[in-house]
Amino acid sequence: MKEFSLLRIGHFIRRDIALHKSTFVTGLLVGIVLIFLFSFFNMIWDKQLSQDEFFGTFGLIYIPMGVLFTFSIFKEFNDPKANQLYLSIPISIPERLASKWFTAAILYTLVYTILAIITGILALLFGVVVLTADFNISSLFSIEYWNVLKVYFLVQPFFLVGAISFRKNRIGKTLLFLGILALVFTLFNFLLFGIFNHNYGLFSGDAVISEAFDKTAADFSALGRWFYGLLLGPVMLIVAYFKMKEKEV
Amino acid sequence: MEFDNSKPIYLQIVDFFYENILVKRWADEERIPSVREVAMMVEVNPNTAIRAFNHLQDLGVIHNKRGIGYFVASDGYTKVLNIKRKEFMEQILPDVFKKLNLLDISFDELKNAYNQQKNEEK
Amino acid sequence: MLTIKHLNFNYPKSRFVLKSINLDFTAGNIYGLFGKNGEGKSTLLKIMTGLLFPKNGNCLLEGNEMRKREVQSLHHIFLVPEDFELPAISIRSFEKVQSCFYPQFSKEQFYELIKEFQLSPTDVISKLSFGQKKKVLIAFGIATNTKLLLMDEPTNGLDIPSKSQFRKVMASIADENKCIVISTHQVRDLHSLINHVMILDNAQVAFDQPLDKVSDGLWFGKPSTNDSSEPIYSESSFGGKAILPRLDKNETEVDLELLFNGVLGAPDKINAILNQTQNDERV
């Protein structure tokens, strides 16, 4: 029998949406209101909504809310009263992972993007009427969007693992873990940087740390991006797979 | 159905059948409930109900028409009457006699009580 | 159908809850799984569903390891846990989002049972009492029509009329293709349904016999004074009930409570007699 069926994935996505409908609706509503207000206030001073301003707001809400949704769709997984029923649903682990990821990453992004753009247009129109701001719709579509998405798609799997791994204070623990990890990597990079650049005598004189970091960023950017991209994205999904496989009630 | 703790449940189901046949709730040649229906009625494992059906079939009280169900035998009533009479004579009556003896109740006394009861029923 | 071989289990940093368990569950039976509190009944059911992993040994459903939680295995098993939480949606929505995972699910049967349990499809599950939630899950579990239906203390939380309803429903669904396992300490509620008894004691299987074998070999009741055979087990109270070797006495109904106490008190004696009768039959 097949252990990977798109039909079951579809069923599982539908199940998550039906079960968390009120969470999703409330979250998205709050998000829309915030986007509208931020966009509107941004237009008060300079009478325009720039790309930076819009996508700043967009990302500020998009990423944390995505993380919250990720945690909410994994609630059953760690709830000792609910997970016996949940884990005995006949659906394989790759299917579970695929459907959860699809819901929290793809589906959420699509819905949120559409809502955000509609809200942006409304805010703009409102701004034009009330504040006589410029109607600059192009600021809702830009390359910035993909950067925000990239960050989310890399960070989200990490929180997905956190949502699976911890039973209580899941968000707090995941953030703490992420913080420690970031610290370790900074230190590690600093060491690497020191080793690689020792000969340049950067540490001998009055080199400023920030200057050093700038150089590191330039040096490691290509390699580092791949390294962290891989670490946070796909590898985390693999970790999530094994965490789910080994899960007991 | 409330069960008596000492008698095997399947025999209690058999008794339930006997009673239905004796009071003519189930007439001769009439179709009776299925195994599953009886199991549900008395809240028992279907295997227990099957045992009761087999027991009755062995005694010739009921018979199975393939694909249709179980029926009371054409002489079902007479058979049950004989079985229950025998049971009464062999098992209940000796106990009654023992009690009569123990309590020193004469046969005449018993006869009077019996007649009185009969009269009241009329 | 489901086989447990040399199974050991313990929770992290604690003693063994289950030790060298060997059990075989076959279709057409209703198993009663008994044991004192904390003797690992729930743990065993969870292992059978693949929710806990054995430390040693296997739990195989038609040859497949349950711990892998493969779809093909999970299709055939449904567990009604003792304590559980259902989503805060209506019964109808719950059926819609959950039943699609079970290929043999019967909507008709589910709604019939819901009606029989005096619930309405529009009831929101989170607003129901615990007993009512249990009925929803029992109805759902039955309607999945899985080959294996495991129930952990199903009558806990049910009122007296509901218990009778439950027995009726169970009697109606039991058939030769289905294997039902009911764990309980409320022996009285279910004794007419069960046809095979398993007793766990001291983390081990103390007893595993079909009831017809038990009623063949043992006699239950108040022994008369002229009874020659020595009781295998008797309740200490005056005129108390006892278990005797049946020999040529009339068959009695198995008194499960007495059997349970007897097995805890004198497991070797009882098992010896039953195995004896088994051997006799083989000759």
Side-chain angles (χ1 to χ4, degrees), chain C residues 143-202:
Chain C
T144 58
N145 285 301
T146 49
K147 289 191 211 161
L148 259 159
L149 179 59
L150 316 181
M151 299 182 147
D152 196 357
E153 302 282 0
T155 55
N156 253 11
L158 297 191
D159 53 23
I160 290 165
S162 305
K163 282 180 184 175
S164 159
Q165 242 169 1
F166 172 76
R167 284 191 295 262
K168 273 197 202 326
V169 167
M170 293 312 286
S172 74
I173 60 145
D175 67 31
E176 62 274 22
N177 301 317
K178 213 173 165 82
C179 171
I180 299 168
V181 184
I182 302 175
S183 120
T184 186
H185 60 258
Q186 294 177 322
V187 175
R188 274 159 207 268
D189 287 348
L190 301 166
H191 93 281
S192 62
L193 281 178
I194 284 156
N195 70 337
H196 190 118
V197 180
M198 289 172 171
I199 298 175
L200 293 179
D201 193 38
N202 287 324

Side-chain angles (χ1 to χ4, degrees), chain B residues 48-66:
Chain B
T48 313
I50 289 171
R51 215 178 150 193
F53 274 75
N54 288 342
H55 182 81
L56 288 163
Q57 212 170 353
D58 290 346
L59 293 172
V61 175
I62 60 171
H63 61 93
N64 187 5
K65 281 186 193 161
R66 284 239 167 263

Side-chain angles (χ1 to χ4, degrees), chain A residues 62-83:
Chain A
Y62 169 64
I63 294 173
M65 192 157 77
V67 167
L68 282 176
F69 284 173
T70 304
F71 278 92
S72 80
I73 59 172
F74 276 102
K75 209 171 147 238
E76 273 180 290
F77 194 82
N78 277 313
D79 179 343
K81 278 192 168 187
N83 65 5

Side-chain angles (χ1 to χ4, degrees), chain C:
Chain C
M1 187 180 275
L2 188 122
T3 316
I4 295 174
K5 276 188 265 179
H6 315 297
L7 179 136
N8 288 329
F9 182 85
N10 66 305
Y11 287 101
K13 290 175 206 155
S14 78
R15 68 186 175 86
F16 275 104
V17 183
L18 296 169
K19 260 193 311 218
S20 49
I21 306 282
N22 288 297
L23 288 171
D24 202 12
F25 296 87
T26 52
N29 291 309
I30 303 183
Y31 293 87
L33 183 62
F34 304 114
K36 287 181 291 191
N37 289 334
E39 282 299 342
K41 298 183 299 268
S42 303
T43 306
L44 185 63
L45 292 181
K46 285 178 197 166
I47 292 172
M48 288 166 71
T49 324
L51 297 172
L52 289 172
F53 304 155
K55 292 291 171 284
N56 314 98
N58 318 81
C59 174
L60 304 167
L61 176 64
E62 275 160 3
N64 298 308
E65 286 267 13
M66 272 319 297
R67 62 171 293 163
K68 288 187 189 157
R69 289 203 287 262
E70 289 167 321
V71 178
Q72 49 170 350
S73 306
L74 292 173
H75 267 163
H76 298 307
I77 196 161
F78 192 89
L79 168 69
V80 177
E82 183 184 4
D83 199 9
F84 58 86
E85 198 55 69
L86 292 174
I89 52 180
S90 74
I91 293 176
R92 195 193 299 279
S93 317
F94 177 70
E95 180 270 311
K96 276 204 182 112
V97 299
Q98 196 97 356
S99 66
C100 44
F101 295 101
Y102 295 90
Q104 307 294 324
F105 190 88
S106 158
K107 275 182 203 286
E108 202 183 308
Q109 196 182 11
F110 177 71
Y111 287 112
E112 227 167 74
L113 288 168
I114 286 295
K115 209 170 124 197
E116 199 165 322
F117 286 141
Q118 277 138 27
L119 295 162
S120 151
T122 50
D123 288 343
V124 174
I125 300 175
S126 49
K127 286 182 184 147
L128 300 175
S129 73
F130 180 69
Q132 287 172 313
K133 284 181 195 166
K134 196 139 208 171
K135 289 186 204 170
V136 173
L137 197 58
I138 288 172
F140 187 85
I142 289 171
T144 58
N145 285 301
T146 49
K147 289 191 211 161
L148 259 159
L149 179 59
L150 316 181
M151 299 182 147
D152 196 357
E153 302 282 0
T155 55
N156 253 11
L158 297 191
D159 53 23
I160 290 165
S162 305
K163 282 180 184 175
S164 159
Q165 242 169 1
F166 172 76
R167 284 191 295 262
K168 273 197 202 326
V169 167
M170 293 312 286
S172 74
I173 60 145
D175 67 31
E176 62 274 22
N177 301 317
K178 213 173 165 82
C179 171
I180 299 168
V181 184
I182 302 175
S183 120
T184 186
H185 60 258
Q186 294 177 322
V187 175
R188 274 159 207 268
D189 287 348
L190 301 166
H191 93 281
S192 62
L193 281 178
I194 284 156
N195 70 337
H196 190 118
V197 180
M198 289 172 171
I199 298 175
L200 293 179
D201 193 38
N202 287 324
Q204 283 173 314
V205 178
F207 191 82
D208 174 17
Q209 298 282 355
L211 273 189
D212 46 8
K213 206 127 267 166
V214 179
S215 56
D216 273 351
L218 300 173
W219 185 93
F220 296 82
K222 289 179 186 165
S224 55
T225 41
N226 53 9
D227 213 314
S228 55
S229 48
E230 185 72 15
I232 303 164
Y233 172 82
S234 60
E235 299 210 308
S236 52
S237 61
F238 172 73
K241 291 177 286 184
I243 305 176
L244 273 69
R246 178 162 154 216
L247 305 173
D248 47 8
K249 283 193 278 289
N250 273 340
E251 183 180 339
T252 53
E253 184 56 32
V254 176
D255 185 331
L256 281 180
E257 240 170 35
L258 196 60
L259 178 69
F260 180 68
N261 291 334
V263 168
L264 297 193
D268 300 335
K269 269 201 225 166
I270 290 182
N271 279 317
I273 287 185
L274 290 176
N275 292 332
Q276 180 63 39
T277 43
Q278 241 165 356
N279 291 337
D280 289 350
E281 272 162 26
R282 276 190 208 127
V283 172

Side-chain angles (χ1 to χ4, degrees), chain A residues 140-159:
Chain A
L140 301 181
F141 306 92
S142 94
I143 196 75
E144 266 295 297
Y145 174 68
W146 298 107
N147 288 331
V148 176
L149 248 63
K150 227 185 280 173
V151 174
Y152 178 68
F153 275 70
L154 291 180
V155 170
Q156 194 262 351
F158 194 89
F159 282 93

